[in-house]
Amino acid sequence: MDPSFRTIIEPFRVKTVEQIKFTTPDHREEALREAGYNLFALHAEDVLIDLLTDSGTGAMSAKQWGAMMIGDESYAGSRSFYRLEAAIKNIMGFSHVIPTHQGRAAERILFSSAVKRGQVVPNNTHFDTTRANIEYAGAEARDLVIPEGRQPGVIHPFKGNMDLEALRQTIAEVGVERIPMVMLTLTNNSGGGQPVSMANVRAVSQIAHEHGIPLIIDACRFAENSWFIRQREEGYADKAPLEIAQEIFSYADGCTMSAKKDGLANIGGFLALNDDALAQECRNLLILTEGFPTYGGLAGYDMEAIAQGLEEVLEEDYLRYRIRSTAYLAEALQAVGVPIVEPPGGHAVYIDAKAMLQHIPPAHYPAQALAVELYREGGIRAVEIGSMMFGKPQPDGSETPAVLELVRLTIPRRVYTQSHIDYVIEVIARVNARRDSIRGLRITHQAPFLRHFTARLEPLA
Ligand code: F0G
């Protein structure tokens, strides 16, 4: 792509199309009522632009579909496994590659083998499934992101960085024997999709290794993180994304990966490790629930799609378009006065609903109220990351609210064009213009954990 042009075009043309359905306001009102004002309960067919997640929702390339046709479905020793293993080793360099059906399966297998009751696992910010799997193993998942990473309005080039002093203190207080690993999530999804700098990866690795603790990377969005390093960190402007990724992983002892993100695939994941004994233990567990070590819960064709996806995700034209198009949405929202987490992340723009809907108290779920309005106005589905997801019900019936009330507009990879995004901007601008008339919600039904998936709500008068 010639950088002297102002317009960043999609670096692909469309070969297959999938129709999306336009709905009437009455239809959407009825759909909301039936879904109990919980967007997870909508039929996806009733959604025009689906920004719920970037996980498994990307479009595959003609080369990926082509590779799938020649996938090797052998139970053991599939050629497609060896292709996937080679692609992963080329980028990440770890000696053992263990395929899984998705990211959380890699997490469960790793933590079941390496984490014991009473231990502590530090991370910049644990993603929900990572936290849940560590807690399930009886250990504590501790978030040590830098203070800037907790403040939506504060600009910092690498808001996903780990607080190095806090890491040292944690090691001193908890003791080396109770820290089985240090983790870094690239990019930091729960903190707004914010990147981690190479200097921070290097420093975290050094501190962990000084104490003989392994560093494991949650690599879901490693390619997007590599591009941010190239753009924002001195000395990387002329490096290829592959080289940057290789350097990141050279500081680590292993990784967990959801190939549904930067694997550009609809399903899949893997665990990669250098430690021979640990890898053996993980493979033993893999056989119990996922499958034989050369397919681990995946079809041969899935492994082909991931191997091809891992090559395409590091192409410069793709990454430039990917990161630029997310920033495009963010800039347009700011231009119409919508408050967002700054700077925008790689895979998503997060609207600060607390700042936008100041008249709705956290107890009335302002971020959920905003997400419902986006659907009501224009058929857009986003996801609430606020008190409906993280609020803690108290015995007296009250609730401790979440720190932040965010609505995540998550951009699927290679799916929507600029005109889709222009429409999203128009819808949000309209909702913003009538924000004072938006009312909060009340929960009428909830499950004891992960309630946001199934809760039912009703609008407050
Ligand atoms: N780690 C991170 C940073 C993630 O964002 C996710 C998934 C996982 C691990 C788990 O991977 O879904 O393949 O089991 N994030 C999705 C999201 C679900 O919407 O952010 P998985």
Side-chain angles (χ1 to χ4, degrees), residues 358-372:
Q358 292 178 13
H359 60 288
I360 303 183
H364 297 168
Y365 310 109
Q368 181 62 17
L370 177 56
V372 164

Side-chain angles (χ1 to χ4, degrees), residues 4-83:
S4 67
F5 283 104
R6 198 177 55 82
T7 312
I8 308 274
I9 63 164
E10 289 83 6
F12 48 80
R13 56 182 179 177
V14 177
K15 200 180 190 82
T16 306
V17 297
E18 183 182 12
Q19 204 171 6
I20 50 180
K21 193 171 99 181
F22 291 87
T23 49
T24 60
D26 285 347
H27 183 93
R28 293 197 291 277
E29 207 54 60
E30 181 54 30
L32 278 174
R33 228 185 339 263
E34 271 180 27
Y37 300 88
N38 184 339
L39 306 178
F40 281 103
L42 289 174
H43 286 231
E45 240 186 6
D46 291 333
V47 175
L48 186 63
I49 308 272
D50 203 344
L51 307 182
L52 189 69
T53 177
D54 65 326
S55 183
T57 53
M60 290 208 293
S61 67
K63 280 188 184 167
Q64 283 177 293
W65 285 110
M68 286 178 75
M69 290 303 291
I70 54 167
D72 176 358
E73 304 304 337
S74 303
Y75 190 93
S78 158
R79 186 189 62 242
S80 303
F81 168 74
Y82 292 110
R83 180 179 176 199

